[in-house]
Amino acid sequence: MRRPKGTGCLYQRPDSRVWWIKYSRYGKSYRESSHMTDKQKAKNLLRNRLAQITTGTFVGPQAERVRVEELANDFIREYRINGRKSLEGANTRWNSHLKPFFGVLRAVDVTSDLIARYVDSRQRQGAANATVNRELAAFKRMFRLGQQATPAKVLRMPAFPKLKENNVRKGFLEDAQYRKLVEGSELWFRALVECGRTYGWRVSELLEMRVRQADLLQRTIRLEPGTTKNSEGREVVMTDAVCTLLCACVTGKRADDFVFTRKNGKPVRDFRNTWENACVRAGVGNIVCANCSAPKVSGKRCEQCKAKLSKYTGLIFHDLRRTAARNRRRAGISETVIMKIGGWKTRSVFERYAIVSRTDIVDAMRMLQQTEKALEKAAVVIGHEIGHVAQQTSVQALPALMRQDVKASAN
């Protein structure tokens, strides 16, 4: 007997006993093997497909076969094709954390509850909320690319939570601390720190600078487009201190040589030990035990827990970006100019670190004092007027004879 329209159909191919199901969604026909020879079980599969179409949870047989690992491969390939600088970090997040948890699953098996369990697992491992957020952002990007594929590999997006982050750094380098930090240091270190605190550029942008980017005659420094984090070029004017230090750094070098090099001529790549030693000497950093965080001497065992491993805590080079933004704002430079020099696209740096202009604060306090004085003066005038009106009203309320007596006594 012919099945009613819209309820699909069952059939067998001539050379097989396996039942196939056929149904349609929005005018598109789907044929799918039930992988079963039992007709009743094949009917149940057909009913499930029709129910999914009715409830809007249908993803299709092809999308059901897509695995999370396939989405991850598309994600990594998209990063590689577009030359994203965070490709290495994306690979690490997938291979080290996401793949062990989701790698064997199909995309349709990833639910909001499963993602919540992943978050709980990562937090139990000691991962910070900011780290988990970056991993979830990469995972969400995988699903988004799957949605945009043709044909679509993902038709349903699970919910990806965003954890609250509390990792805002508070470090600033004061002028007195800066003098202690660079005291007795090599030329390249002094120049690097001076450029960092003056312009607020990232350490990678500074270390990649070539001699040709520093025009000593025009006293300008130019970061070429594509060499910065946001791929936008920048050009600034040298201060006297920057000009003096860079002149000494580029003397005797060719145009394609790196600006910041060590005494042996090798470019500066990693100066973590130099930075940490300078910060400890200047009193803006400390070496502590990696186990109990107690102060200790590097290379020696902790006096409290006897652990040998140590770690550095304190000022980092990236703190110079906030220092530069704050110093320029205090000097009265507009936020738009500060953002262009430092390479910020939004004003979040001012909002997150409460960077305001001292001039603005002084002006605000002056206006507040003027307003308070004006209110006090107005209150005195209003008090005199109210007293005068009250006196006139009380006199008029007296009988005529008594008013004359009051006037006579007043005279």
Side-chain angles (χ1 to χ4, degrees):
M1 187 178 71
R2 189 178 183 85
R3 294 173 62 89
K5 186 177 181 180
T7 59
C9 67
L10 295 166
Y11 67 94
Q12 288 177 315
R13 291 182 174 179
D15 57 345
S16 175
R17 296 177 56 200
V18 175
W19 286 95
W20 284 67
I21 62 176
K22 180 182 178 183
Y23 51 92
S24 63
R25 177 177 179 265
Y26 300 147
K28 180 179 179 180
S29 296
Y30 292 88
R31 297 175 185 268
E32 181 181 354
S33 173
S34 67
H35 303 286
M36 293 175 285
T37 58
D38 189 328
K39 185 176 182 180
Q40 185 58 44
K41 292 181 178 179
K43 281 185 178 180
N44 293 337
L45 176 61
L46 178 59
R47 291 195 190 99
N48 289 337
R49 290 290 186 247
L50 296 175
Q52 291 173 357
I53 293 173
T54 303
T55 58
T57 58
F58 176 77
V59 295
Q62 184 177 358
E64 281 187 350
R65 292 191 290 269
V66 175
R67 296 194 170 272
V68 174
E69 189 168 8
E70 182 179 344
L71 299 180
N73 292 335
D74 295 343
F75 167 73
I76 298 298
R77 182 169 57 249
E78 191 266 344
Y79 265 52
R80 186 168 55 250
I81 291 174
N82 290 291
R84 298 185 184 274
K85 297 180 180 179
S86 54
L87 174 61
E88 183 178 352
N91 267 311
T92 301
R93 292 187 182 99
W94 164 247
N95 291 315
S96 300
H97 306 295
L98 294 169
K99 186 177 182 178
F101 198 95
F102 298 105
V104 298
L105 300 177
R106 299 178 302 168
V108 294
D109 296 330
V110 178
T111 61
S112 302
D113 179 67
L114 189 62
I115 295 176
R117 278 189 277 165
Y118 171 77
V119 172
D120 182 60
S121 172
R122 292 290 289 130
Q123 289 180 332
R124 289 175 181 272
Q125 295 173 7
N129 284 358
T131 302
V132 179
N133 279 340
R134 302 297 91 75
E135 295 166 2
L136 293 180
F139 200 34
K140 184 176 181 180
R141 180 62 179 166
M142 296 177 192
F143 276 77
R144 188 68 67 192
L145 290 174
Q147 269 190 333
Q148 298 171 357
T150 306
K153 298 181 179 181
V154 174
L155 299 179
R156 177 185 55 82
M157 286 280 291
F160 293 88
K162 184 172 178 60
L163 307 181
K164 183 178 179 180
E165 300 182 17
N166 188 24
N167 60 343
V168 177
R169 292 191 56 82
K170 304 175 182 178
F172 289 96
L173 182 65
E174 304 296 341
D175 293 340
Q177 295 171 341
Y178 163 71
R179 288 189 288 271
K180 293 181 180 180
L181 182 68
V182 299
E183 185 178 1
S185 301
E186 295 183 43
L187 173 64
W188 65 265
F189 185 78
R190 293 175 61 92
L192 193 65
V193 175
E194 181 65 30
C195 290
R197 70 187 288 266
T198 302
Y199 304 117
W201 289 348
R202 298 173 180 86
V203 62
S204 58
E205 297 170 347
L206 291 169
L207 294 181
E208 292 298 323
M209 276 179 51
R210 308 287 180 137
V211 174
R212 64 174 179 272
Q213 297 175 241
D215 189 340
L216 299 180
L217 294 179
Q218 300 294 330
R219 295 188 58 160
T220 60
I221 306 175
R222 177 173 175 79
L223 297 183
E224 302 295 340
T227 61
T228 63
K229 183 178 180 180
N230 57 19
S231 298
E232 295 180 356
R234 288 177 237 142
E235 184 171 306
V236 296
V237 177
M238 298 182 191
T239 62
D240 292 339
V242 170
C243 184
T244 301
L245 291 170
L246 289 188
C247 281
C249 287
V250 303
T251 299
K253 294 181 180 179
R254 295 171 297 181
D256 290 335
D257 290 341
F258 288 95
V259 172
F260 302 104
T261 56
R262 300 181 185 274
K263 289 183 178 179
N264 56 8
K266 292 184 177 181
V268 178
R269 293 301 185 189
D270 185 4
F271 60 100
R272 187 174 305 173
N273 291 335
T274 305
W275 174 265
E276 293 176 359
N277 293 334
C279 288
V280 172
R281 186 175 62 251
V284 293
N286 296 288
I287 301 296
V288 298
C289 176
N291 184 40
C292 65
S293 299
K296 68 182 291 289
V297 179
S298 180
K300 296 185 178 181
R301 294 189 178 276
C302 177
E303 296 181 357
Q304 296 187 12
C305 66
K306 305 305 179 183
K308 192 173 182 179
L309 293 178
S310 59
K311 65 179 181 180
Y312 169 80
T313 61
L315 192 79
I316 62 175
F317 192 89
H318 198 76
D319 292 333
L320 299 184
R321 280 177 62 77
R322 288 188 300 280
T323 302
R326 184 193 63 176
N327 291 344
R328 295 193 209 115
R329 196 68 184 92
R330 286 179 173 179
I333 302 174
S334 67
E335 294 180 1
T336 304
V337 176
I338 296 174
M339 289 164 56
K340 287 183 178 179
I341 295 175
W344 291 284
K345 285 192 173 182
T346 64
R347 64 182 310 275
S348 59
V349 63
F350 303 101
E351 297 172 352
R352 292 181 65 192
Y353 305 111
I355 298 175
V356 296
S357 171
R358 285 185 173 177
T359 304
D360 294 343
I361 296 177
V362 171
D363 292 342
M365 293 302 101
R366 186 184 299 112
M367 292 176 61
L368 178 61
Q369 292 177 356
Q370 292 176 353
T371 302
E372 290 177 348
K373 290 180 180 180
L375 290 175
E376 291 176 359
K377 185 177 181 180
V380 172
V381 173
I382 293 173
H384 286 307
E385 292 180 352
I386 291 175
H388 180 70
V389 171
Q391 183 179 4
Q392 292 294 328
T393 304
S394 60
V395 171
Q396 291 176 2
L398 295 173
L401 182 59
M402 295 181 65
R403 285 204 305 267
Q404 293 177 359
D405 295 339
V406 171
K407 290 181 180 180
S409 62
N411 293 332

